[in-house]
């Protein structure tokens, strides 16, 4: 209990946006999966994930314009005592370390804040697991406790498996994700505006020219390092200024006329499946 109290005192599992500290992070916790640490677009902080499935679901959330905050590994602490009288002996076991007798803090993989199109702010809680783990009774029992916890708090809860995550979409977002903050590559705001105008002009004139050829032409046009055009291309997709079919694998040999310029800067989400159904 001392360890848990210390984590709470240090702010783990608390805060919002940039100030949130996940109750579990890859530095303090070992994992059998592939751990990753990724700077988020929404929060501008580093997020911690313990598996590919967690990471891929995060990419979907970060790309969704309606999502305004993503809190990973959120602890079930507040108001937990309200549901414990409802738990039978088997479920109560999942809240106690059977070897040490110490309490266990369960965490939900994602606690998400969304601002809906009508302006209403809603919250969603999602547990992410490999589908094979759903055959494990202990895992199912932990999920049942989480279901009751979030139901008590009036928050939509669901379980997402790797089978339900659109892999191509997630991998496409992963491909562009690190290009969101161009200033981290030494490209100034004024350069970004100039580069964007030039790339848009080349796209309008390109016809069916292969995209990779157009991007090489861009590098020559602005006398920039090789790969600058590709970096800008990914950046503009991340910011929804360029639209491509994100449900198909991004292929740089595709015709440039398959890339749409989004002049208004608004995004209808036509190429993105909603995560509400996941």
């Amino acid at each position: 209990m001392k360890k848990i109290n210390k984590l709470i005192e240090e702010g783990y599992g608390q805060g919002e946006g940039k100030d949130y500290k996940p109750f579990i992070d890859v530095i303090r916790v070992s994992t059998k999966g592939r751990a990753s640490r990724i700077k988020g677009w929404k929060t501008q902080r580093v997020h911690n994930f313990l598996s590919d499935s967690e990471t891929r679901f995060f990419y979907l959330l970060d790309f969704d314009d309606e999502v305004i905050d993503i809190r990973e590994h959120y602890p079930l602490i507040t108001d937990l005592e309200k549901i414990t009288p409802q738990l039978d002996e088997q479920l109560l076991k999942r809240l106690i370390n059977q070897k040490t007798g110490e309490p266990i803090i369960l965490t939900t993989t994602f606690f998400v804040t969304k601002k809906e199109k009508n302006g209403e702010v809603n919250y969603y809680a999602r547990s992410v697991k490999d589908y094979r783990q759903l055959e494990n009774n202990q895992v199912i029992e932990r999920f049942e406790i989480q279901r009751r916890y979030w139901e008590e708090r009036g928050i939509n809860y669901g379980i997402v498996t790797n089978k339900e995550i659109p892999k191509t979409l997630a991998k496409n977002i992963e491909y562009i994700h690190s290009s969101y903050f161009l200033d981290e590559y030494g490209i100034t705001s004024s350069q970004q505006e100039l580069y964007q105008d030039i790339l848009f002009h080349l796209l309008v004139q390109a016809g069916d020219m292969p995209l990779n050829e157009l991007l090489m032409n861009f590098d020559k046009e602005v006398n920039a390092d090789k790969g600058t055009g590709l970096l800008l291309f990914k950046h503009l997709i991340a910011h929804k200024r360029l639209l491509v079919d994100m449900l198909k694998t991004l292929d740089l040999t595709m015709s440039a006329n398959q890339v749409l310029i989004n002049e208004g800067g608004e995004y209808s989400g036509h190429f993105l499946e909603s995560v509400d159904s996941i």
Side-chain angles (χ1 to χ4, degrees):
M1 192 63 187
K2 287 183 179 179
K3 184 178 179 181
I4 292 173
N5 288 337
K6 187 172 186 297
L7 290 173
I8 294 172
E9 287 172 6
E10 292 175 353
Y12 286 94
Q14 299 166 65
E16 297 181 16
K18 194 171 185 177
D19 298 325
Y20 175 73
K21 295 177 71 173
F23 200 74
I24 296 172
D25 64 47
V26 300
I27 296 174
R28 294 185 295 110
V29 176
S30 61
T31 174
K32 293 179 181 178
R34 180 160 49 184
S36 56
R37 303 180 79 241
I38 302 165
K39 182 177 179 180
W41 298 348
K42 315 287 186 183
T43 64
Q44 298 191 31
R45 68 171 176 83
V46 174
H47 293 257
N48 290 256
F49 307 111
L50 306 178
S51 70
D52 285 344
S53 294
E54 290 181 7
T55 304
R56 286 170 181 160
F57 192 67
F58 166 74
Y59 285 133
L60 301 183
L61 295 172
D62 220 19
F63 195 67
D64 187 332
D65 288 341
E66 293 181 10
V67 172
I68 58 176
D69 194 11
I70 304 167
R71 285 175 271 185
E72 75 276 21
H73 307 301
Y74 190 87
L76 277 59
I77 298 176
T78 306
D79 298 330
L80 182 63
E81 70 279 358
K82 289 184 179 180
I83 69 161
T84 48
Q86 308 168 21
L87 306 180
D88 58 30
E89 185 178 347
Q90 190 61 30
L91 291 180
L92 285 171
K93 281 184 179 180
R94 301 300 157 223
L95 297 175
I96 302 292
N97 186 315
Q98 298 303 302
K99 292 182 179 179
T100 66
E102 290 286 309
I104 294 173
I105 301 297
L106 297 183
T107 59
T108 297
T109 318
F110 289 102
F111 184 36
V112 181
T113 310
K114 289 189 73 175
K115 188 172 184 179
E116 313 288 355
K117 288 184 175 65
N118 61 8
E120 185 178 347
V121 174
N122 289 316
Y123 298 91
Y124 299 83
R126 292 291 184 269
S127 291
V128 178
K129 282 288 182 185
D130 186 289
Y131 76 96
R132 291 165 295 191
Q133 292 182 291
L134 298 184
E135 299 175 0
N136 185 313
N137 286 334
Q138 292 186 21
V139 171
I140 292 172
E141 287 164 359
R142 291 191 189 101
F143 285 161
E144 176 58 19
I145 294 171
Q146 294 182 58
R147 185 192 68 78
R148 297 190 192 189
Y149 174 84
W150 292 112
E151 183 178 58
E152 174 65 31
R153 296 188 63 181
I155 289 170
N156 181 300
Y157 172 71
I159 299 168
V160 180
T161 73
N162 50 311
K163 280 189 171 184
E164 296 161 311
I165 297 173
K167 193 173 179 180
T168 298
L169 174 58
K171 293 189 97 171
N172 282 339
I173 301 170
E174 178 182 15
Y175 179 64
I176 66 171
H177 198 271
S178 63
S179 305
Y180 191 87
F181 302 102
L182 281 188
D183 56 331
E184 295 183 354
Y185 294 87
I187 301 177
T188 65
S189 297
S190 58
Q191 282 179 313
Q192 290 178 35
E193 290 181 15
L194 175 63
Y195 285 178
Q196 176 182 288
D197 289 344
I198 293 172
L199 184 59
F200 282 3
H201 176 74
L202 291 176
L203 281 168
V204 170
Q205 302 295 322
D208 60 358
M209 177 188 292
L211 181 62
N212 52 7
E213 183 178 333
L214 180 143
L215 295 177
M216 286 190 291
N217 290 344
F218 170 88
D219 291 344
K220 294 174 184 176
E221 177 85 15
V222 301
N223 194 27
D225 292 339
K226 183 179 179 181
T228 301
L230 176 58
L231 176 65
L232 179 65
F233 172 71
K234 294 193 288 185
H235 170 80
L236 292 173
I237 293 175
H239 284 268
K240 319 293 172 45
R241 296 306 311 278
L242 292 179
L243 304 180
V244 296
D245 190 342
M246 294 292 281
L247 300 179
K248 296 179 181 177
T249 300
L250 282 175
D251 182 358
L252 296 179
T253 64
M254 68 181 176
S255 297
N257 57 20
Q258 291 181 261
V259 181
L260 305 180
I261 298 174
N262 189 12
E263 295 283 5
E266 295 182 355
Y267 183 59
S268 67
H270 175 67
F271 292 132
L272 176 63
E273 291 179 342
S274 171
V275 299
D276 287 350
S277 60
I278 299 179

